Amino acid sequence: MVRSRREGVAFTVVVTVLVALGALPMLLVLALSGAPSSLLLATVLAALPVGPLVGCYLWLDRYEPEPRSLLALGLLWGGFVATAGALLVQGIGGLFVGFTEAASLAVVAPVTEEASKGAFLVLLLWLRRAELDGILDGIVYAGMVGIGFAFVENILYLAAAYNGTDGMGPGGTEALTTTFVLRCLVSPFAHPLFTTFIGVGVGIAVGSRSGAVRWLAPLGGYVLAVVTHALWNGSAFIGFGGFVVVYLVLMVPALAGMLALALWARRYEQRMLVNALGDAAHRGLLPATDIAWVVDLRARRTARAFARRHGGPEGEQAMRVYQQAAVELGFLHHRYLRGTPPPDFAVRGYDHVVLIRAVRPSIAFPGQVVPTRMSAQ
């Protein structure tokens, strides 16, 4: 447990320092990208798809919500570290190698940008592996990094389009509108989608008992991210018709497939939690009658409403704590049953069980006798 906390602190420190270092040059780049008024307009427009995209990933991440602090770090990493790292590598490479515009856009950018975004997931896998329980967690963290990256990149593209410095025309409102429609309305999911391939690979690695899979799955995810990113960027050189074909043939099916995978992963997590908690209940770690109120999302909401009605905000909070502890125990117990428990499995499991037993006497599910101290709140 001490080692886990030390690694958690190391992760937070490393990411925070890199975010600070990346923010300095990126804020300077943003400040120099246009007049304050055009930059403000570009920022507002770039921010419009951020809320809906984040909401979609949070909707997926409901069984075991990831720490909001880590999700925020993912956004910041994508916005500052990944963008700054990609620009630095591309700049150095262009200085010494002299890439053509086509090579830079279709090859160099996908390779460097997916590497800089994927580095956050690799750090999670290395230092915060306990926070990753499978494919769905990998998808959620990858999505946050991609959203942060796309937000900052869109500011630059929108400002350049408005100022006419993108080489596509004189600029102005028409150019800004075209760029906004293409990047923020038609394809706001592009960067999150690319990086999600890496997230899937990391999620597979976490649950695998094979050493080869633990290495090859993230690498394979990175390769797929680069390939899809390269095909998407390359469509810019084959005209609008080519762009539409790539969008319809590649991007839309890839997005639909990834959404289907995420929904399948969430249903799999529900079945997995039922089985894992059933085994835990058989071992006396929690009451078997509580499992449905913990696993089923609708039942969880019903239980929280019941707790609030009888115990006020404190009762609802106690129910949330109990449900979260039980879910955490379920994921941890599943990894134990699969033979892939984390090094601190015993200590973490003990902490979850202690919390479950401490909170359980103070809560009740619908149809059960409400404890006196709960009804008195």
Side-chain angles (χ1 to χ4, degrees), residues 174-312:
E174 184 176 349
L176 176 67
T177 302
T178 300
T179 302
F180 171 73
V181 170
L182 289 177
R183 296 189 65 87
C184 299
L185 297 183
V186 175
S187 59
F189 56 84
H191 274 292
L193 175 62
F194 303 146
T195 312
T196 293
F197 285 105
I198 305 175
V200 171
V202 168
I204 292 173
V206 168
S208 176
R209 287 170 284 188
S210 168
V213 171
R214 291 177 184 176
W215 283 96
L216 293 177
L219 180 60
Y222 170 70
V223 171
L224 288 174
V226 170
V227 169
T228 53
H229 195 159
L231 290 172
W232 175 246
N233 283 6
S235 68
F237 295 98
I238 53 179
F240 183 74
F243 167 80
V244 172
V245 170
V246 171
Y247 183 82
L248 294 178
V249 174
L250 172 67
M251 296 295 285
V252 172
L255 178 63
M258 197 61 72
L259 178 59
L261 176 62
L263 293 175
W264 171 85
R266 200 169 71 171
R267 287 194 296 271
Y268 169 80
E269 286 191 350
Q270 182 179 14
R271 295 193 299 270
M272 175 271 291
L273 283 172
V274 170
N275 293 332
L277 288 176
D279 186 84
H282 181 71
R283 298 168 188 260
L285 302 181
L286 81 167
T289 53
D290 293 356
I291 295 176
W293 298 107
V294 168
V295 173
D296 185 82
L297 292 174
R298 182 176 297 178
R300 282 164 64 165
R301 291 193 297 270
T302 300
R304 290 171 184 175
F306 180 82
R308 184 175 184 85
R309 190 161 56 249
H310 291 276

Side-chain angles (χ1 to χ4, degrees), residues 49-66:
V50 171
L53 286 172
V54 170
C56 288
Y57 282 98
L58 293 180
W59 177 79
L60 286 174
D61 183 39
R62 289 189 295 170
Y63 271 119
E64 187 210 11
E66 299 305 307

Side-chain angles (χ1 to χ4, degrees), residues 18 94 107 138 141 155 165 181 216 219 224 242 256 299 306 346-347 371 373:
L18 290 176
V107 179
Y141 282 114
I155 294 175
T165 57
V181 170
L216 293 177
L219 180 60
L224 288 174
F306 180 82
V347 176
R373 52 177 162 171

Side-chain angles (χ1 to χ4, degrees), residues 20-90:
L21 292 176
L24 294 175
M26 287 312 303
L27 290 175
L28 179 61
V29 169
L30 290 171
L32 298 176
S33 63
S37 57
S38 62
L39 184 60
L40 177 61
L41 177 60
T43 302
V44 171
L45 293 176
L48 291 179
V50 171
L53 286 172
V54 170
C56 288
Y57 282 98
L58 293 180
W59 177 79
L60 286 174
D61 183 39
R62 289 189 295 170
Y63 271 119
E64 187 210 11
E66 299 305 307
R68 294 296 185 257
S69 58
L70 287 183
L71 297 179
L73 286 176
L75 285 168
L76 292 172
W77 180 282
F80 294 127
V81 182
T83 51
L87 286 177
L88 177 63
V89 175
Q90 291 173 33

Side-chain angles (χ1 to χ4, degrees), residues 124-172:
L124 271 177
L125 188 60
W126 179 29
L127 296 175
R128 297 296 297 269
R129 180 183 290 264
E131 298 296 341
L132 295 168
D133 291 303
I135 291 176
L136 193 58
D137 286 353
I139 289 175
V140 170
Y141 282 114
M144 293 299 161
V145 175
I147 292 169
F149 187 98
F151 171 62
V152 172
E153 187 181 65
N154 284 343
I155 294 175
L156 296 174
Y157 272 94
L158 290 166
Y162 187 76
N163 297 329
T165 57
D166 59 354
M168 302 299 291

